[in-house]
Amino acid sequence: MTIQRVKIFSLFERFWHWAQMLLILVLLVTGFGLHGFHQLLSFRTAVTLHTGAALALLLLWAFSVFWLFTTRTWRHFIPTWQGMWGVLRFYAYGIFKGERHPYRKAYWRKHNPLQALAYLMLKIVLFPAIWITGLLYLFYFLWSGLPGAPVWLSNIAQVHTAAAFLILAFVLIHVYMLTTGHSFREHVMPMINGFDEVDLTPEEEAYLRNDQPGDIR
């Protein structure tokens, strides 16, 4: 195995990441405005921006799910217990002692086990929770006549808000992690130019140099 700089984040992945970040930021700011945490926007403007950003994010997620399955990159998000203890130990203890991160990115495994588990839970639990409750809230006029609808709406709003706070916690932890280990710039650059250091087998390196020379430096 040799460490090489390889393009592991495609143009679409980088667009998806930054567009998703921007839309989630708009949703958080407008969502906090709707809950009265600030007065930066009128209620009407906050509702309009919140709804527009949510629909744009839903469209982006639909494209991303299609992309994940057609390119088989969904495999990067399947968690594994192999190496999990080493990563947990690193974040609980080793990181404060200046130890080297125990995980080395592989061509078909670019997320460490803890990252893969966190991203998977985000994609199959938190994101569905927030868009299902958001759509139910948005289209309340279609089911407002059902028995107990106001009570259900209150419960749905609470689940929506709880999911939003959990996503905010994920964002804050994600940004904090960028400040650990390597420099902030080194963590961010792969999501700008697509290249990162990856452990390659001789076969993978030969394949990239022969068939995709632009993806290896």
Side-chain angles (χ1 to χ4, degrees), residues 74-153:
W74 55 268
R75 292 179 292 177
H76 291 286
F77 298 94
I78 302 302
T80 173
W81 290 112
Q82 185 177 0
M84 178 69 86
W85 170 247
V87 174
L88 288 173
R89 181 196 169 281
F90 172 75
Y91 287 122
Y93 174 77
I95 194 171
F96 303 108
K97 305 291 288 184
E99 294 180 5
R100 186 184 182 195
H101 198 294
Y103 186 74
R104 304 264 72 81
K105 286 185 174 69
Y107 190 56
W108 281 108
R109 176 60 70 173
K110 57 191 173 191
H111 302 308
N112 70 52
L114 189 59
Q115 272 183 306
L117 180 63
Y119 292 154
L120 184 67
M121 291 300 103
L122 191 70
K123 292 178 188 309
I124 68 172
V125 178
L126 280 184
F127 283 171
I130 203 154
W131 59 252
I132 289 172
T133 52
L135 288 174
L136 287 170
Y137 203 93
L138 183 63
F139 294 103
Y140 176 64
F141 64 92
L142 293 176
W143 56 279
S144 59
L146 295 177
V151 176
W152 279 105
L153 183 65

Side-chain angles (χ1 to χ4, degrees), residues 30-38 43 157 160-161:
T30 54
F32 280 126
L34 293 173
H35 282 274
F37 284 92
H38 63 75
F43 188 84
H160 190 76
T161 304

Side-chain angles (χ1 to χ4, degrees), residues 1-3 63 76 80 112 114 157 209:
M1 302 282 277
T2 58
I3 296 179
F63 274 110
H76 291 286
T80 173
N112 70 52
L114 189 59
R209 293 200 183 282

